[in-house]
Amino acid sequence: MAIGTLLQHRGVLTSAQLERAIAEQRASGERLDRVLIRMGLVSREQILAAVGDQFHLPVVDLATSEVDPGVLRLLPAKMVFKQRCVPLRKEAGVLTVATADPYDLTVLDELRLLTGCPVELALADEEQLSEFIRTNYGVGGDTLDAMAGEGGTLVEAKPADEADQAQEASVIKLVNDLLSEAIEQRATDVHIEPYERTLAVRYRIDGVLERANVPPAIHRFGAAIVSRLKIMASLNIAEKRRPQDGRITFKHRPPQGGQGKEFDLRVSVIPMLFGEGVVLRVLSKTAALMPLEELGMPEGVRERWGKLITRPHGILLVTGPTGSGKSTTLYASLNRIVSDAIKVITVEDPVEYQVPGINQIQVNHKVGVDFSSGLRAILRHDPDVVMIGEIRDKETAEIAVQASLTGHLVFSTLHTNDAPGSITRLLDMGVEPFLVSSSLEGVLAQRLVRRVCDACGAAHVPDEHERKGVSGLPEGAVLRKGAGCRACRQTGYRGRLGVYELLTVTERTRQQITERRPSPEIAAAGKAAGDFWALYDDGMTKVLAGKTTLEEVLSALSE
């Protein structure tokens, strides 16, 4: 019985819903069960229960299954990857094997012949099965297995063969597997690090580096992997002595089907002791379209920042360390104000996201296009709003000030610890106090903290040790903390949110800037007048709301 009809008989699906799903299936070419799940008409559990009843198979939860390493070795990796099935246990001479596709009955016969013992099938969720295989057999393990020779030994490429090998289908698939796994795990960066006898692959997830589970044999193909990435990024594969930078557009299709998404990968290759190291920054093309409301700003900060970005002229700064989400905030701000009535031009190094309606210029030091020269040039293109990637020197700062004083709204970033510190930084660069005070309108500082996992987060009462040195935490406050689960990779956190600080420049602040008052004094006066919302205050608000933890906020603010 077809899965759609089966679900109808079980009362899970109506005829109208099934017809809609079949029409969608014809358009997308996906399996019907995946279409039903994607459309939200049925759950994975309902599909599994229906198929399990149909084939009289038990349903297993691979997320909680502990399998003995000896049992895992009962099936060759090649069979696991080829047939998408995994051994679970062997009892009384009978081997139980989990599969997500019980429709292929030839697998059962093949397993019996291979193992020489009776085999029983169990039904598993397809996503759980893929995760189980990745965890126990490694990312790209099927490709490495296919690359093995007759005797099962991987043949290492000679340097002269690296370019040819990088073009082979097996190496192409291996690199695609590594990139797809990074995207599925929500990684923002991929690190490929060569050592004498190993190749380490690490993913930065929610701001923390974690080792990817790759087979040890992958180190034999380290040079071929790097060559393949160079080819994808249009770099010189013969040049191994100098650092190189490039960009890859990678289309990722989720394993459960559906429309693929395009990602921009910024590639940096650097020669190291045992080969070339690679770091890829993963940028989703849709991330730039995030509205201000979804960034996690407190309502008061969002309202004030929303008013600042609609001003006709002045300088607005976003500050924070590398990787604190400054670019995302800038793009969200530009998206809020961009329209046919205004012209927006940016100078970026590099252009991280391509945004419709915004004219974007890529810094190119080789031909003399840097922030200052690019900013000078774009002012002749009659812009209303200018965004400059970063103010790094006095020249760029002074041009930005002059642009704001001649009727342009200028957005930019600075690397400072807090919002008031950006004023001191501009003055230290050599910009005159009267120019800073007359042009600066507001400064937004931010950090990213990890969000408590929704799946395993539970009430938590901090002890004396956790409360030590913490102000603003009421006695008996009940917070939230994650215990660790499969959804959050046992970390207790899943996803990140911003912590924000906003300094609105008022007449009092302008006077303080002209008098070169220290930043703590500017912050204190702003807080007393209600013109300054501090990072710590927003962090504690989010801790008390159960969105993040004390440890995360204190760690982020110590940067």
Side-chain angles (χ1 to χ4, degrees):
M1 188 182 295
I3 186 66
T5 308
L6 184 64
L7 290 168
Q8 264 189 288
H9 286 191
R10 293 172 67 91
V12 175
L13 202 63
T14 66
S15 298
Q17 289 173 327
L18 181 56
E19 287 176 10
R20 281 172 48 210
I22 290 173
E24 174 67 19
Q25 181 200 22
R26 286 172 181 155
S28 66
E30 297 172 72
R31 268 178 28 186
L32 182 59
D33 55 343
R34 292 173 177 170
V35 172
L36 290 167
I37 293 169
R38 179 165 58 82
M39 293 178 69
L41 300 176
V42 296
S43 66
R44 293 185 179 279
E45 291 75 16
Q46 288 171 321
I47 292 275
L48 279 175
V51 176
D53 285 351
Q54 183 183 24
F55 287 90
H56 305 289
L57 295 177
V59 177
V60 294
D61 183 4
L62 290 181
T64 58
S65 297
E66 295 286 339
V67 181
D68 185 88
V71 174
L72 289 174
R73 289 192 291 269
L74 292 176
L75 283 186
K78 186 177 292 187
M79 171 65 76
V80 171
F81 295 125
K82 177 186 174 186
Q83 300 293 3
R84 306 292 295 169
C85 58
V86 293
L88 294 180
R89 58 184 174 274
K90 188 175 183 180
E91 296 174 349
V94 178
L95 180 66
T96 301
V97 175
T99 179
D101 185 11
Y103 299 98
D104 187 0
L105 299 178
T106 60
V107 174
L108 196 58
D109 296 329
E110 193 172 348
L111 290 172
R112 285 170 181 157
L113 287 171
L114 184 68
T115 59
C117 66
V119 174
E120 290 183 353
L121 291 181
L123 192 61
D125 176 72
E126 189 170 7
E127 281 192 6
Q128 289 187 4
L129 183 66
S130 296
E131 178 67 24
F132 186 92
I133 292 173
R134 283 197 301 265
T135 302
N136 292 281
Y137 296 91
V139 180
D142 53 343
T143 307
L144 286 170
D145 190 70
M147 292 159 73
E150 290 282 333
T153 304
L154 288 161
V155 181
E156 187 171 358
K158 295 178 181 178
D161 300 331
E162 286 169 10
D164 292 335
Q165 192 183 62
Q167 298 281 30
E168 291 181 3
S170 53
V171 174
I172 292 172
K173 185 177 184 303
L174 178 59
V175 171
N176 288 348
D177 286 346
L178 291 172
L179 298 180
S180 294
E181 172 71 1
I183 290 168
E184 286 166 25
Q185 296 296 329
R186 302 177 297 104
T188 54
D189 300 86
V190 180
H191 293 241
I192 299 174
E193 304 162 338
Y195 298 99
E196 187 174 8
R197 293 183 176 84
T198 60
L199 182 74
V201 179
R202 298 195 287 171
Y203 300 146
R204 189 177 294 279
I205 302 170
D206 294 336
V208 179
L209 277 173
E210 298 180 19
R211 279 231 179 201
N213 183 26
V214 294
I218 198 172
H219 81 277
R220 296 177 180 269
F221 292 88
I225 290 170
V226 174
S227 293
R228 174 60 192 163
L229 289 169
K230 284 182 177 181
I231 290 169
M232 294 171 73
S234 299
L235 301 178
N236 183 356
I237 64 171
E239 179 57 75
K240 299 188 176 184
R241 299 168 300 172
R242 296 179 181 177
Q244 297 187 71
D245 295 316
R247 181 185 292 268
I248 296 170
T249 297
F250 182 75
K251 188 159 189 177
H252 169 67
R253 296 188 183 277
Q256 59 270 31
Q259 292 295 320
K261 288 184 180 179
E262 278 198 348
F263 291 81
D264 277 333
L265 309 178
R266 280 166 38 194
V267 184
S268 174
V269 183
I270 297 179
M272 295 185 177
L273 188 59
F274 297 105
E276 291 177 287
V278 183
V279 174
L280 302 100
R281 169 64 59 88
V282 182
L283 302 168
S284 170
K285 290 192 173 183
T286 59
L289 305 177
M290 184 180 292
L292 278 175
E293 290 75 16
E294 293 182 12
L295 296 182
M297 288 183 185
E299 187 175 349
V301 170
R302 189 175 68 247
E303 287 179 359
R304 291 193 180 192
W305 182 251
K307 291 178 181 177
L308 287 173
I309 64 178
T310 58
R311 292 197 175 182
H313 54 78
I315 295 178
L316 297 175
L317 296 176
V318 180
T319 77
T322 301
S324 59
K326 299 188 297 295
S327 296
T328 302
T329 299
L330 283 173
Y331 283 119
S333 302
L334 293 176
N335 275 329
R336 169 69 70 85
I337 62 174
V338 70
S339 71
D340 290 338
I342 64 171
K343 180 161 185 172
V344 182
I345 309 181
T346 72
V347 186
E348 304 171 59
D349 183 20
V351 174
E352 294 191 9
Y353 302 107
Q354 298 167 20
V355 185
I358 297 178
N359 301 272
Q360 298 172 272
I361 299 172
Q362 168 77 51
V363 165
N364 188 341
H365 295 287
K366 292 180 181 177
V367 296
V369 179
D370 54 18
F371 284 129
S372 56
S373 63
L375 184 53
R376 272 198 209 93
I378 64 179
L379 291 177
R380 294 191 286 271
H381 271 243
D382 188 31
D384 298 288
V385 178
V386 172
M387 193 269 273
I388 179 167
E390 183 184 348
I391 295 177
R392 296 177 178 172
D393 51 41
K394 179 183 178 182
E395 184 182 12
T396 308
E398 287 182 337
I399 299 169
V401 168
Q402 293 301 327
S404 71
L405 294 176
T406 53
H408 303 86
L409 182 62
V410 180
F411 289 86
S412 191
T413 69
L414 273 179
H415 287 288
T416 60
N417 290 329
D418 55 21
S422 63
I423 296 170
T424 306
R425 179 72 185 278
L426 290 172
L427 297 177
D428 288 344
M429 283 182 182
V431 184
E432 291 295 332
F434 75 91
L435 290 176
V436 176
S437 66
S438 57
S439 59
L440 192 63
E441 296 292 337
V443 185
L444 184 75
Q446 65 182 78
R447 298 289 190 278
L448 289 178
V449 294
R450 290 184 291 175
R451 189 188 296 268
V452 174
C453 176
D454 290 332
C456 64
H460 170 70
V461 178
D463 56 28
E464 287 302 316
H465 177 72
E466 291 174 282
R467 297 175 65 95
K468 189 176 180 180
V470 177
S471 60
L473 189 65
E475 283 292 332
V478 179
L479 313 180
R480 284 183 77 237
K481 197 170 187 177
C485 65
R486 176 175 171 269
C488 63
R489 300 167 64 95
Q490 307 302 323
T491 63
Y493 301 97
R494 182 174 173 85
R496 291 191 289 179
L497 72 159
V499 176
Y500 296 91
E501 172 175 282
L502 179 62
L503 173 66
T504 304
V505 179
T506 62
E507 288 306 315
R508 183 201 64 259
T509 315
R510 298 188 198 282
Q511 182 63 33
Q512 290 177 313
I513 295 172
T514 305
E515 296 171 358
R516 290 183 177 268
R517 296 291 183 184
S519 55
E521 185 177 324
I522 294 174
K527 194 166 186 178
D531 302 319
F532 177 63
W533 178 269
L535 278 169
Y536 184 82
D537 295 337
D538 188 28
M540 291 305 298
T541 299
K542 283 167 175 149
V543 168
L544 292 170
K547 295 178 180 179
T548 187
T549 63
L550 274 174
E551 295 91 340
E552 274 297 293
V553 169
L554 297 177
S555 173
L557 299 191
S558 66
E559 294 178 351

